[in-house]
């Protein structure tokens, strides 16, 4: 038996979400499946998942279980792979130990795993992998404010792999914090990204999409220091072809920045762009059906 979870796509608001600004996110149909076996050698991420499960549910696990993970989500590329793997592993453990967990309890478990991996996550990835759908998210001092978005808009986007970042999400959250400390005016970028997320969200509810906002968002992220030369080259190439593109997720600043979220008003142009990047890119439709 296998347990599945899907990934996520941040349309706008990564990094700003950590500072309590609104963000816009969608579940995507690409995901992971996980099977559970008797015992095996595990890395710290998977060991921690079992420790969190034991602690939160009171189930004693004698030896660590082996997980067989089959993932179509590229690791560390901004599509929520760590949260999705954690959610599928928690479902597998719950089944093995005959524990019934509701979605709120899963959110709590996945959040604990994400904190172990990312230090100070906003919780957006966790919510996206457990609940899916298209939603706006704002971190508060208590529980996040989450609003599902109703839209008849169906957009195609091209995800272009700019390379697996050398940095982790935790590193990139720290890079932004350091850059803001060095250059306090960058706080304005965080607020401006929040305004962009709110506008894109309102537009979605009115079934419209303003492509220029994606371009502005990328510029603000670049100034925050989360985009790499590799990613910038792809963004420029897309813009030359009349499209818009931005990093999605934590990014990376010294090698790849993970997936580049690319839009074009003429969706046929997306297919042409995809040919240039062939196996490193794929087209998705969202909100997910
Ligand atoms: C990671 O998918 C998005 C970040 O904003 C971190 C977070 O919100 O937890 C970079």
């Amino acid at each position: 038996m296998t347990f599945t979870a899907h990934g996520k796509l941040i349309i706008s608001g990564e990094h700003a979400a950590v500072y309590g600004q609104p963000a816009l996110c969608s579940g995507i149909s690409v995901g992971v499946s996980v099977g559970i076996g008797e015992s095996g050698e595990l890395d710290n991420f998977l060991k921690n998942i079992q420790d969190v499960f034991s602690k939160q549910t009171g189930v004693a696990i004698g030896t660590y279980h082996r997980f067989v993970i089959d993932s179509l989500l590229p690791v560390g590329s901004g599509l929520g792979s760590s949260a999705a793997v954690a959610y599928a592993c928690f479902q597998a453990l719950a089944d093995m130990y005959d524990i019934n967990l509701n979605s709120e309890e899963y959110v709590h478990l996945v959040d604990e795993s994400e904190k172990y991996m990312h230090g100070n996550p906003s919780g957006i990835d966790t919510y996206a992998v457990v609940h899916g759908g298209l939603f706006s998210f704002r971190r508060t001092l208590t529980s996040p404010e989450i609003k599902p978005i109703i839209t008849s808009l169906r957009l195609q986007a091209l995800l272009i792999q700019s390379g697996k970042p050398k940095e982790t999400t935790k590193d990139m959250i720290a890079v932004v914090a350091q850059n803001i400390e060095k250059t306090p005016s960058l706080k304005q970028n965080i607020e401006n990204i929040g305004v962009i997320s709110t506008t894109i969200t309102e537009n979605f509810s009115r079934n419209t999409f303003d492509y220029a906002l994606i371009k502005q968002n990328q510029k603000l992220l670049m100034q925050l220091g989360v985009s790499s030369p590799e990613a910038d080259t792809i963004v420029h190439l897309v813009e030359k072809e009349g499209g818009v593109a931005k990093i999605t997720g934590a990014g990376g600043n010294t090698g790849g920045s993970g997936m580049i979220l690319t839009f074009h008003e003429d969706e046929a142009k997306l297919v042409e762009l995809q040919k240039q990047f062939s196996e490193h890119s794929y087209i998705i439709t969202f909100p997910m059906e």
Side-chain angles (χ1 to χ4, degrees):
M1 186 159 173
T2 57
F3 299 85
T4 58
H6 56 73
K8 68 94 187 25
L9 181 70
I10 298 182
I11 297 142
S12 173
E14 50 275 278
H15 288 291
V18 174
Y19 296 84
Q21 289 295 330
L24 176 63
C25 186
S26 176
I28 53 172
S29 52
V30 189
V32 302
S33 81
V34 166
I36 187 164
E38 282 313 310
S39 62
E41 280 294 300
L42 294 183
D43 61 16
N44 288 340
F45 168 64
L46 293 171
K47 277 187 184 159
N48 179 67
I49 285 175
Q50 298 191 47
D51 293 344
V52 165
F53 181 82
S54 272
K55 197 167 155 217
Q56 301 292 333
T57 60
V59 170
I61 301 179
T63 53
Y64 287 114
H65 290 284
R66 185 169 55 90
F67 290 113
V68 182
I69 300 170
D70 191 5
S71 179
L72 288 175
L73 288 171
V75 175
S77 293
L79 300 183
S81 126
S82 65
V85 170
Y87 180 36
C89 288
F90 284 126
Q91 291 176 67
L93 287 164
D95 181 71
M96 176 151 266
Y97 290 97
D98 214 6
I99 302 261
N100 267 325
L101 296 169
N102 60 30
S103 52
E104 215 175 299
E105 289 163 326
Y106 276 119
V107 163
H108 184 65
L109 290 169
V110 177
D111 245 346
E112 289 302 309
S113 172
E114 287 287 281
K115 279 185 203 152
Y116 175 81
M117 280 302 280
H118 303 318
N120 180 27
S122 63
I124 191 167
D125 290 23
T126 298
Y127 185 88
V129 303
V130 176
H131 291 280
L134 178 69
F135 63 95
S136 71
F137 178 98
R138 198 170 75 80
R139 182 184 211 175
T140 72
L141 288 176
T142 53
S143 336
E145 274 171 18
I146 290 145
K147 291 187 199 132
I149 297 162
I150 316 273
T151 181
S152 62
L153 205 63
R154 289 289 171 274
L155 282 180
Q156 285 207 325
L158 174 64
L159 294 172
I160 303 172
Q161 179 60 275
S162 68
K164 185 172 183 284
K166 292 188 186 140
E167 302 80 12
T168 62
T169 297
K170 197 179 200 163
D171 296 334
M172 293 317 296
I173 291 176
V175 163
V176 172
Q178 282 154 17
N179 286 343
I180 291 176
E181 205 181 304
K182 261 193 285 172
T183 314
S185 60
L186 286 175
K187 275 193 205 130
Q188 192 59 49
N189 284 45
I190 298 286
E191 279 174 31
N192 291 349
I193 290 175
V195 173
I196 289 176
S197 299
T198 303
T199 311
I200 297 180
T201 301
E202 287 168 1
N203 285 347
F204 256 104
S205 304
R206 293 188 201 110
N207 306 319
T208 62
F209 189 71
D210 182 354
Y211 293 83
L213 294 174
I214 297 295
K215 188 172 174 180
Q216 288 173 27
N217 194 331
Q218 171 63 13
K219 196 166 169 210
L220 295 165
L221 286 166
M222 225 176 83
Q223 290 163 351
L224 284 170
V226 296
S227 191
S228 65
E230 283 83 345
D232 298 343
T233 303
I234 295 174
V235 171
H236 288 143
L237 194 149
V238 169
E239 287 176 358
K240 234 178 78 196
E241 299 294 329
V244 292
K246 66 179 275 290
I247 64 155
T248 180
N253 59 353
T254 59
S257 301
M259 285 295 181
I260 306 296
L261 173 62
T262 307
F263 295 98
H264 203 296
E265 282 186 61
D266 176 359
E267 289 182 347
K269 286 265 167 58
L270 276 185
V271 179
E272 277 173 32
L273 274 168
Q274 186 190 19
K275 284 184 194 142
Q276 297 190 38
F277 297 96
S278 60
E279 81 263 36
H280 303 297
S281 67
Y282 46 99
I283 290 180
I284 57 162
T285 303
F286 70 91
M288 198 171 101
E289 299 299 327

